[in-house]
C-alpha cells in the first residue's frame, strides 16, 4: 500500500511573525511535489497567522501540544477545538522535550492523543529512546511501550503519523544512520501489526526525526519503512524545502 510521504516542520519555541511569514512565503513560492504532505508546527501564538498565510495546497499547520480536556479551568492549556478553530489540522504529541522537561507520561500522551483524534485533529505521535536506553539495548522495549500506551487507548490509527525520534539524535547533528533507523522503523511496524493488525500497519506512516537536514534527507530514500521526516532546526531554514523535495 502506498503511504503518502509526510514531512513535518517542528519550529519548537522559535520564531516571530516576521520569520514565520518568510518560511511560509518560501513554501508558497516553491514548486513543492504534489505527492508529499507537509505540515508546519509554529508556536501556538502563531497558529492562526501561519494557517492564514499558507496557500500551498499540500501544506497544513500543526500545534505543538494540546490538552486532554476540551474546556475549563486549565490555565495555560490549549484545547483541540481551539486549534481547529484557528485553522490548524494536526498536533504534535509525545515529543521527547515534553516527555522529559514537562514530565509527560505515556498514559497522559495516550489520553491527549485520544481526545485530539476524537475531535478531529490528526496526531503526529513522537516516540524514541534516550542514549542510555539505546546503550542498554532497550530501544525496542522503550518505543514499543510508548506505542502500547496509545494502542490501549485508541482504535482508529488512520489519522496518526508516528514519528520515531531517537532522543540522542534530536538537535545534536548526529542523525541515526539510514540502516539503524530503518531497523527500528521496521520493528515498530512489526510490533504494531501484531497488536493492531496487518492492514493498519501497512497503512501507518512512520517518519524519522533527529537532525534531518537538506543534505542527509535523501540518504534515507531506500528505507522502505521510513515514510517521511519530522524536522526541527532545519525546518526554520530554506533547506526545509530541499527536505520536502528529497524524494524527487
Ligand atoms: P532536530 O529536531 O531536527 O532539530 O534534530 C527534531 C525534532 O525534535 O522534532
Amino acid at each position: 500500500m502506498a503511504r503518502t510521504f509526510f514531512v513535518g516542520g517542528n519550529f519548537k519555541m522559535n520564531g516571530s511573525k516576521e520569520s514565520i511569514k518568510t518560511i511560509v512565503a518560501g513554501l508558497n513560492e516553491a514548486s513543492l511535489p504534489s505527492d508529499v504532505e507537509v505540515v508546519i508546527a509554529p508556536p501556538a501564538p502563531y497558529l492562526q497567522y501561519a494557517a492564514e498565510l499558507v496557500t500551498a495546497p499540500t501544506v497544513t499547520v500543526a500545534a505543538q501540544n494540546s490538552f486532554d480536556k476540551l474546556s475549563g479551568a486549565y490555565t495555560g492549556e490549549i484545547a483541540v477545538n481551539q486549534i481547529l478553530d484557528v485553522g490548524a489540522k494536526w498536533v504534535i504529541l509525545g515529543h521527547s522535550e515534553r516527555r522529559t522537561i514537562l514530565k509527560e507520561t505515556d498514559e497522559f500522551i495516550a489520553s491527549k492523543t485520544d481526545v485530539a483524534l476524537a475531535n478531529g485533529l490528526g496526531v503526529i505521535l513522537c516516540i524514541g529512546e534516550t542514549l542510555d536506553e539505546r546503550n542498554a539495548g532497550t530501544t525496542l522495549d522503550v518505543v514499543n511501550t510508548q506505542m502500547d500506551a496509545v494502542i490501549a487507548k485508541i482504535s482508529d490509527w488512520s489519522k496518526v503519523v508516528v514519528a520515531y525520534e531517537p532522543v540522542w539524535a534530536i538537535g545534536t547533528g548526529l542523525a541515526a544512520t539510514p540502516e539503524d533507523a530503518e531497523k527500528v522503523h521496521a520493528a515498530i511496524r512489526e510490533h504494531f501489526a501484531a497488536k493492531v493488525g496487518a492492514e493498519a500497519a501497512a497503512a501507518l506512516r512512520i517518519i524519522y526525526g533527529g537532525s534531518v537536514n537538506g543534505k542527509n534527507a535523501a540518504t534515507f530514500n531506500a528505507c522502505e519503512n521510513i515514510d517521511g521526516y519530522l524536522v526541527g532546526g532545519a525546518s526554520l531554514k530554506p533547506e526545509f524545502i530541499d527536505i520536502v523535495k528529497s524524494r524527487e
Side-chain angles (χ1 to χ4, degrees):
M1 182 186 297
R3 297 182 290 266
T4 303
F5 206 69
F6 185 104
V7 179
N10 175 11
F11 298 178
K12 310 194 181 186
M13 201 177 72
N14 295 299
S16 59
K17 283 176 82 171
E18 197 183 338
S19 69
I20 287 164
K21 191 176 185 178
T22 304
I23 294 168
V24 176
L27 290 165
N28 287 342
E29 285 156 23
S31 50
L32 299 177
S34 60
D35 57 351
V36 177
E37 186 171 1
V38 181
V39 176
I40 51 167
Y46 304 113
L47 283 173
Q48 176 160 3
Y49 182 65
E52 286 175 356
L53 287 174
V54 169
T55 56
T58 53
V59 179
T60 53
V61 173
Q64 295 176 17
N65 184 34
S66 61
F67 198 46
D68 67 344
K69 309 282 186 299
L70 291 181
S71 65
Y74 304 106
T75 302
E77 290 300 329
I78 305 172
V80 169
N81 36 326
Q82 295 167 335
I83 293 168
L84 287 161
D85 196 27
V86 298
K89 307 270 189 256
W90 291 85
V91 62
I92 298 173
L93 294 174
H95 193 279
S96 68
E97 286 148 20
R98 296 200 63 88
R99 289 179 187 268
T100 55
I101 304 167
L102 282 302
K103 308 278 183 270
E104 293 193 1
T105 63
D106 290 349
E107 288 64 37
F108 184 43
I109 292 158
S111 176
K112 297 203 295 181
T113 302
D114 183 31
V115 171
L117 292 171
N119 291 282
L121 268 187
V123 173
I124 302 166
L125 173 67
C126 303
I127 58 173
E129 83 287 2
T130 63
L131 187 58
D132 285 349
E133 290 163 342
R134 178 181 180 82
N135 289 339
T138 58
T139 296
L140 296 184
D141 294 337
V142 170
V143 294
N144 289 338
T145 301
Q146 291 169 340
M147 286 294 287
D148 286 347
V150 185
I151 289 170
K153 197 89 189 169
I154 69 163
S155 49
D156 181 1
W157 284 77
S158 60
K159 290 187 73 188
V160 181
V161 170
V162 172
Y164 168 59
E165 299 203 297
V167 179
W168 48 269
I170 295 176
T172 58
L174 291 170
T177 64
E179 296 71 25
D180 283 351
E182 169 62 19
K183 265 189 216 151
V184 180
H185 282 233
I188 293 167
R189 196 179 305 283
E190 198 181 300
H191 176 81
F192 185 81
K195 291 263 170 147
V196 180
E199 206 178 310
L204 182 69
R205 288 180 288 181
I206 307 175
I207 64 175
Y208 168 77
S211 296
V212 176
N213 59 42
K215 289 209 172 66
N216 66 15
T219 65
F220 296 89
N221 281 357
C223 302
E224 280 180 37
N225 286 289
I226 298 185
D227 305 308
Y229 308 110
L230 185 56
V231 184
S235 70
L236 300 166
K237 303 177 190 163
E239 69 185 288
F240 185 59
I241 290 166
D242 300 332
I243 300 170
V244 174
K245 293 181 169 183
S246 61
R247 287 254 160 145
E248 285 185 335

